[in-house]
Amino acid sequence: MDLRALRAALRFDGGFWRRFAELGCVYGPEWWKRGSPPVIAGIVFAIATRQRESVLANQRQVRGPRGWWRERWDAYGVFAEFARSLTEGMEQWGPRPRPLTIHVADPDVIPAALAKGRGLIVVTGHFGSWEVAARGLAEFGRPFNLVMARESNPSVRSFTHALRTRYGVQAIYSDRSVFAALPILQALRRHEVVGMQLDPWGALSGGEAIEFCGRRALFQRGPFALARVARAPLVPVFAVRTGIRSYEIHVAGCFEPTTPAESHAAFAATVSAYERLVHERPSQWLMFERVWRDEAAAAGVGGREVGSARASRGA
């Protein structure tokens, strides 16, 4: 038996625990689905030291410095929100999805963008439940492609791929090669929907430093460069969790950049909309990597448009 593979599977983010979690999320009784996420979040908060320190640093920048206990309680709240979103996301992608209440603040924006016949880029972030948002966007009558980086834990890759593609959603892996943008452009030319992440996961390539919550942070410019190259409309979408199986979809406009200046303006407006939501509901900002990195390193990659995007590592 490969001990390295066994250790990866048994890690808290490994394949064994993901499959165990899916059983509870899909087949567990209602009391378990509602009561277990905060408890499991507490266990993960205690053992996942690197992620805990990253959340503490991110939340301190957003909320400002507070007392030792208050900072940790707020950081635990992020883990609890993640556990609740993960539970409902797995339930929705499983074979027995329960009904959701979804309110779309601007319901006409996405249909109008699709009516242009040039495909559609949907940009979102690790906020609220992007899993539920992606599931909903797959029901607009056009093929839906989810751009993502591969899971860092190899034991969960096949499980995550099967989960995401169960209902016809196609996965495009952005970290496969330098030509990762080609299948994205091809999907847009087929008038399909492409979902991409704004958050700066993985390597710094394709990122630009921009003011965010009081400091410069790296965000992906790839989706905006692709929209300009493909002449495809781009719509920022964020799913706010408002209760048990209850969500509000925030649509932050529709952009059709045709020049680098228009691409940058769309990028800045999207980051600004994202920042407002993070300030309004910081516990739903489900970022478990440090966002604010060395300023000098950030400045070194600023201003570059790269025609590929690092996307979600499947939370």
Side-chain angles (χ1 to χ4, degrees), residues 19-65:
R19 288 170 174 81
F20 180 76
E22 185 190 29
L23 289 176
C25 296
V26 174
Y27 300 103
E30 187 66 15
W31 65 264
W32 172 262
K33 294 180 183 180
R34 297 196 182 197
S36 64
V39 177
I40 295 171
I43 296 171
V44 176
F45 181 78
I47 64 176
T49 55
R50 183 180 65 82
Q51 289 82 358
R52 183 179 67 238
E53 292 305 313
S54 295
V55 171
L56 279 166
N58 293 341
Q59 291 288 308
R60 189 177 298 120
Q61 180 63 34
V62 174
R63 298 175 185 260

Side-chain angles (χ1 to χ4, degrees), residues 116-194:
K116 298 177 185 296
R118 289 180 269 126
L120 174 64
I121 296 176
V122 174
V123 177
T124 188
H126 272 70
F127 185 92
S129 181
W130 68 272
E131 297 270 9
V132 171
R135 186 83 169 82
L137 289 168
E139 299 176 0
F140 271 94
R142 298 301 308 163
F144 184 81
N145 303 270
L146 190 60
V147 183
M148 65 181 77
R150 296 185 185 278
E151 293 278 351
S152 58
N153 188 326
S155 72
V156 80
R157 289 174 184 170
S158 61
F159 168 77
T160 302
H161 180 85
L163 190 73
R164 301 267 167 74
T165 57
R166 182 174 288 161
Y167 289 98
V169 174
Q170 299 301 311
I172 298 176
Y173 293 101
S174 62
D175 53 350
R176 179 172 294 175
S177 74
V178 295
F179 302 105
L182 294 180
I184 301 174
L185 291 170
Q186 291 167 352
L188 292 171
R189 286 167 183 155
R190 294 192 299 266
H191 184 28
E192 297 178 3
V193 180
V194 175

Side-chain angles (χ1 to χ4, degrees), residues 204-209 219-222 225 297-307:
L204 301 185
S205 61
E208 178 172 330
F219 286 93
Q220 293 297 335
R221 283 288 302 277
V301 298
R304 293 184 297 175
E305 279 196 4
V306 178

Side-chain angles (χ1 to χ4, degrees), residues 35-309:
S36 64
V39 177
I40 295 171
I43 296 171
V44 176
F45 181 78
I47 64 176
T49 55
R50 183 180 65 82
Q51 289 82 358
R52 183 179 67 238
E53 292 305 313
S54 295
V55 171
L56 279 166
N58 293 341
Q59 291 288 308
R60 189 177 298 120
Q61 180 63 34
V62 174
R63 298 175 185 260
R66 289 144 297 132
W68 191 91
W69 283 108
R70 181 59 185 273
E71 285 192 341
R72 277 146 187 82
W73 176 254
D74 289 337
Y76 160 74
V78 176
F79 282 77
E81 283 289 346
F82 173 71
R84 294 187 183 98
S85 295
L86 181 66
T87 297
E88 294 182 358
M90 282 190 166
E91 182 184 64
Q92 287 304 303
W93 290 92
R96 299 168 59 181
R98 297 284 297 275
L100 293 175
T101 300
I102 300 179
H103 171 68
V104 182
D106 297 293
D108 299 328
V109 174
I110 292 177
L114 284 171
K116 298 177 185 296
R118 289 180 269 126
L120 174 64
I121 296 176
V122 174
V123 177
T124 188
H126 272 70
F127 185 92
S129 181
W130 68 272
E131 297 270 9
V132 171
R135 186 83 169 82
L137 289 168
E139 299 176 0
F140 271 94
R142 298 301 308 163
F144 184 81
N145 303 270
L146 190 60
V147 183
M148 65 181 77
R150 296 185 185 278
E151 293 278 351
S152 58
N153 188 326
S155 72
V156 80
R157 289 174 184 170
S158 61
F159 168 77
T160 302
H161 180 85
L163 190 73
R164 301 267 167 74
T165 57
R166 182 174 288 161
Y167 289 98
V169 174
Q170 299 301 311
I172 298 176
Y173 293 101
S174 62
D175 53 350
R176 179 172 294 175
S177 74
V178 295
F179 302 105
L182 294 180
I184 301 174
L185 291 170
Q186 291 167 352
L188 292 171
R189 286 167 183 155
R190 294 192 299 266
H191 184 28
E192 297 178 3
V193 180
V194 175
M196 305 182 73
Q197 285 283 338
L198 181 68
D199 297 309
W201 290 101
L204 301 185
S205 61
E208 178 172 330
I210 188 170
E211 190 78 9
F212 184 74
C213 296
R215 283 183 63 188
R216 288 166 65 80
L218 285 169
F219 286 93
Q220 293 297 335
R221 283 288 302 277
F224 305 90
L226 283 167
R228 178 174 63 84
V229 171
R231 295 295 191 265
L234 181 148
V235 176
V237 172
F238 302 98
V240 178
R241 188 173 181 275
T242 56
I244 301 297
R245 300 186 185 91
S246 179
Y247 296 86
E248 184 173 284
I249 304 298
H250 288 236
V251 180
C254 179
F255 303 97
E256 298 183 63
T258 59
T259 66
E262 290 176 350
S263 177
H264 185 271
F267 170 66
T270 301
V271 172
S272 179
Y274 194 15
E275 180 181 14
R276 288 194 297 272
L277 279 176
V278 169
H279 277 301
E280 289 173 11
R281 296 175 181 262
S283 63
Q284 291 200 33
W285 189 34
L286 308 180
M287 282 295 296
F288 296 92
E289 301 282 345
R290 284 182 182 265
V291 169
W292 285 275
R293 313 180 191 193
D294 179 70
E295 289 280 353
V301 298
R304 293 184 297 175
E305 279 196 4
V306 178
S308 64

